Amino acid sequence: MKKEHFKNVILITLIITNFMLSQRIFADKKLWLFGYNFFSNIGYTQKNDDLYTTLNLDVPEKIFVNTGYQSSRFCYLRAHDNFEKIYSGIESAILKAFSSPEKNIAPVSEDMWYSVLTGKSFYIVFGGEYSSQLYANLLGVTNTGLNIPAFSHIAISEEGNFYIKDNKNNTYFRVNSVSNEIKTMIEQITTENENVESVINYSYELNFDKAFSDQKTFIAPLVAVYPSPLNSSTLWSENPLIKGEEINYSLIEKILSAFSINPNTVRRYTEADGTLVFVENNGILRISTDGTLNFTANDTGIKLPSGKSALVSLSQFIDTINSAYSGRNEMTITSSANTESTDYSFDYIIQGLPVKFKDKNAVNAKVSGGYLKEYTHILRKYTPTNNYIITPTFIESLDQTILSYQDSMKEIHIMKMYPAYNDSMIPGEIIQDWHIEINDIIAQ
């Protein structure tokens, strides 16, 4: 009897040992497809504090404080210590304006718009365009009297009046008395910076929006012109898909999970350039060695998280991808967004400045009926360095741009020009420079 009991104990011990060894073998990165761990939870969910994009959808990219004294202005980026304080002070005014009924909204002239920017006021700039209905939705306003198909600029005068430009129709509107604290806020900011010299002009103040010299170069009226070079730290750019010379299979697991792809059943192959291709019924996902994800749906696509709008749902998905590799990167929308939008683009915002890739955005997506149909995402980790560089001046960069086109140019229209980090997609140090977007070049 004791012998049988002893045998049972030995048998149970062997079974447990065998199970533990099997678990270790199956979990080994070299034996399971891309490190897939059968004993781990297939799903991947980001934490609330990883929602760097979603929680900032309604936040502007920059805020200018116009002091009313000639060209004395201060620009606050999202990364500035006082940005949150300033934005929280004007956010209630923005909310009140978007909550106003139509009867309280009146058209104003272009001259009025520019006079507000010349006087004491806040000038709020967004990275992309919103329709008033979608933006009101982001604010939690269910019914807004504003009917603006596309806006990207807001101004609030010292009297507490709200101004908004309709980009599509080139018209302007005002909502009166949205705040009685604006004048005090501007005076406080001016006092805090009384020993700080900050000279910024808008293009229209220098007549840069009109032809000058022998070259017919036009700069959009609200482009901010800085007379001095800018001093900024560089960034170290990394491709999280590659660790040394090894592919980060743990990250690929999480990416596959985000796209509802089971690593244990998916068909996959590797292209000649090293791109990993995963094929399932819902679509094809390509993961390039340069850190680019590219998904194309075969049928309905991937169901996005439920949200107040397609934009919110997409932003939650973007945050899921970024948090999969602890990117902690904030992104801002750079495309037009309204309730009928299906195509979206986003760029990284690092230290308050956008990161620009040549001829592409960090994220491009097509959404239809709550499903993700197409998706491209350049994965990057950015770390500020202790190296500081001096950028070329605004005029130097402008002259260089004109020089590059002068042989064939009759007219050139510059729509945007602002400081940004330029990423060549080669891992390493990247620097700040002037980003210039040209809307139209008329050849000779």
Side-chain angles (χ1 to χ4, degrees), residues 3-14:
K3 185 182 288 186
E4 290 296 322
H5 177 72
F6 181 72
K7 286 182 179 179
N8 289 336
V9 171
I10 294 296
L11 180 60
I12 292 172
T13 302
L14 288 172

Side-chain angles (χ1 to χ4, degrees), residues 155-175:
I156 306 176
S157 68
E158 65 173 330
E159 296 84 8
N161 298 326
F162 172 95
Y163 297 82
I164 188 168
K165 179 184 178 181
D166 180 344
N167 294 345
K168 184 176 181 179
N169 300 302
N170 199 33
T171 52
Y172 306 84
F173 297 89
R174 178 178 64 201
V175 183

Side-chain angles (χ1 to χ4, degrees), residues 4-149:
E4 290 296 322
H5 177 72
F6 181 72
K7 286 182 179 179
N8 289 336
V9 171
I10 294 296
L11 180 60
I12 292 172
T13 302
L14 288 172
I15 292 173
I16 294 174
T17 302
N18 181 67
F19 179 82
M20 292 176 66
L21 287 172
S22 298
Q23 181 175 358
R24 291 188 64 181
I25 291 171
F26 287 131
D28 192 303
K29 299 291 184 186
K30 297 178 181 178
L31 298 180
W32 274 93
L33 175 63
F34 297 112
Y36 178 66
N37 186 348
F38 180 80
F39 299 95
S40 66
N41 184 5
I42 293 177
Y44 178 75
T45 306
Q46 81 272 24
K47 303 175 183 177
N48 286 335
D49 57 1
D50 288 334
L51 299 175
Y52 292 97
T53 302
T54 306
L55 296 179
N56 290 289
L57 278 175
D58 61 329
V59 179
E61 191 172 290
K62 63 191 75 169
I63 299 173
F64 289 92
V65 181
N66 303 309
T67 66
Y69 299 108
Q70 297 180 348
S71 56
S72 175
R73 294 185 173 90
F74 301 96
C75 179
Y76 291 87
L77 304 175
R78 288 187 187 181
H80 195 283
D81 292 340
N82 289 333
F83 180 90
E84 187 174 348
K85 175 184 175 182
I86 293 173
Y87 181 61
S88 63
I90 62 177
E91 187 178 21
S92 58
I94 295 174
L95 179 62
K96 184 174 180 180
F98 277 86
S99 303
S100 296
E102 187 175 358
K103 65 180 182 179
N104 292 347
I105 301 164
V108 294
S109 67
E110 184 177 54
D111 289 342
M112 173 61 74
W113 167 262
Y114 287 123
S115 69
V116 171
L117 298 181
T118 303
K120 294 181 180 180
S121 60
F122 287 105
Y123 171 48
I124 301 110
V125 181
F126 295 87
E129 287 187 332
Y130 299 85
S131 69
S132 54
Q133 289 82 4
L134 178 63
Y135 192 76
N137 182 266
L138 294 175
L139 295 175
V141 176
T142 56
N143 187 22
T144 179
L146 287 167
N147 185 23
I148 312 294

Side-chain angles (χ1 to χ4, degrees), residues 1 4 79 85 97 120 141 166 187 215 219 247 288 293 327 338 343 378 389 394:
M1 190 71 180
E4 290 296 322
K85 175 184 175 182
K120 294 181 180 180
V141 176
D166 180 344
E187 290 176 349
Q215 301 290 346
I219 305 177
I247 296 176
S288 303
L293 312 181
N338 55 54
D343 296 274
I378 302 173
I389 59 101
F394 182 98

Side-chain angles (χ1 to χ4, degrees), residues 88-382:
S88 63
I90 62 177
E91 187 178 21
S92 58
I94 295 174
L95 179 62
K96 184 174 180 180
F98 277 86
S99 303
S100 296
E102 187 175 358
K103 65 180 182 179
N104 292 347
I105 301 164
V108 294
S109 67
E110 184 177 54
D111 289 342
M112 173 61 74
W113 167 262
Y114 287 123
S115 69
V116 171
L117 298 181
T118 303
K120 294 181 180 180
S121 60
F122 287 105
Y123 171 48
I124 301 110
V125 181
F126 295 87
E129 287 187 332
Y130 299 85
S131 69
S132 54
Q133 289 82 4
L134 178 63
Y135 192 76
N137 182 266
L138 294 175
L139 295 175
V141 176
T142 56
N143 187 22
T144 179
L146 287 167
N147 185 23
I148 312 294
F151 78 89
S152 55
H153 308 85
I154 288 171
I156 306 176
S157 68
E158 65 173 330
E159 296 84 8
N161 298 326
F162 172 95
Y163 297 82
I164 188 168
K165 179 184 178 181
D166 180 344
N167 294 345
K168 184 176 181 179
N169 300 302
N170 199 33
T171 52
Y172 306 84
F173 297 89
R174 178 178 64 201
V175 183
N176 288 333
S177 304
V178 296
S179 175
N180 57 7
E181 301 176 356
I182 301 301
K183 184 176 182 179
T184 301
M185 288 180 61
I186 294 173
E187 290 176 349
Q188 181 179 349
I189 294 170
T190 302
T191 301
E192 291 173 351
N193 292 279
E194 61 181 352
N195 296 320
V196 178
E197 183 178 351
S198 178
V199 178
I200 303 173
N201 284 104
Y202 299 123
S203 173
Y204 76 89
E205 294 176 314
L206 301 172
N207 291 322
F208 283 2
D209 57 332
K210 302 177 177 62
F212 64 93
S213 186
D214 295 332
Q215 301 290 346
K216 292 186 177 179
T217 302
F218 302 86
I219 305 177
L222 293 178
V223 168
V225 180
Y226 298 76
S228 303
L230 304 176
N231 185 20
S232 70
S233 68
T234 62
L235 297 178
W236 189 261
S237 172
E238 297 177 77
N239 171 7
L241 279 171
I242 304 294
K243 287 186 175 181
E245 296 182 357
E246 297 293 326
I247 296 176
N248 185 347
Y249 291 118
S250 176
L251 170 57
I252 292 178
E253 287 179 15
K254 295 175 181 178
I255 291 172
L256 294 179
S257 177
F259 282 91
S260 302
I261 295 175
N262 188 332
N264 196 35
T265 60
V266 66
R267 291 174 290 148
R268 68 101 179 175
Y269 59 90
T270 304
E271 295 181 336
D273 63 355
T275 298
L276 304 175
V277 183
F278 302 87
V279 183
E280 273 207 347
N281 294 332
N282 62 353
I284 300 174
L285 174 65
R286 287 180 166 83
I287 304 179
S288 303
T289 55
D290 66 2
T292 302
L293 312 181
N294 187 280
F295 172 78
T296 304
N298 286 335
D299 192 11
T300 57
I302 297 173
K303 180 67 175 176
L304 289 171
S306 58
K308 293 189 292 186
S309 65
L311 176 60
V312 173
S313 297
L314 174 61
S315 298
Q316 291 173 343
F317 184 82
I318 291 172
D319 282 326
T320 298
I321 298 296
N322 281 334
S323 62
Y325 62 95
S326 301
R328 295 185 174 275
N329 288 329
E330 184 180 332
M331 306 190 91
T332 185
I333 186 167
T334 51
S335 61
S336 295
N338 55 54
T339 52
E340 289 79 37
S341 291
T342 57
D343 296 274
Y344 301 91
S345 65
F346 290 77
D347 282 325
Y348 291 110
I349 291 285
I350 308 296
Q351 297 195 124
L353 293 176
V355 178
K356 293 294 182 179
F357 300 93
K358 186 177 180 180
D359 302 325
K360 61 183 70 176
N361 298 103
V363 169
N364 283 102
K366 181 183 287 292
V367 178
S368 179
Y371 285 84
L372 186 65
K373 309 292 287 186
E374 296 177 11
Y375 186 80
T376 300
H377 191 150
I378 302 173
L379 302 184
R380 281 295 180 273
K381 290 185 74 171
Y382 295 106

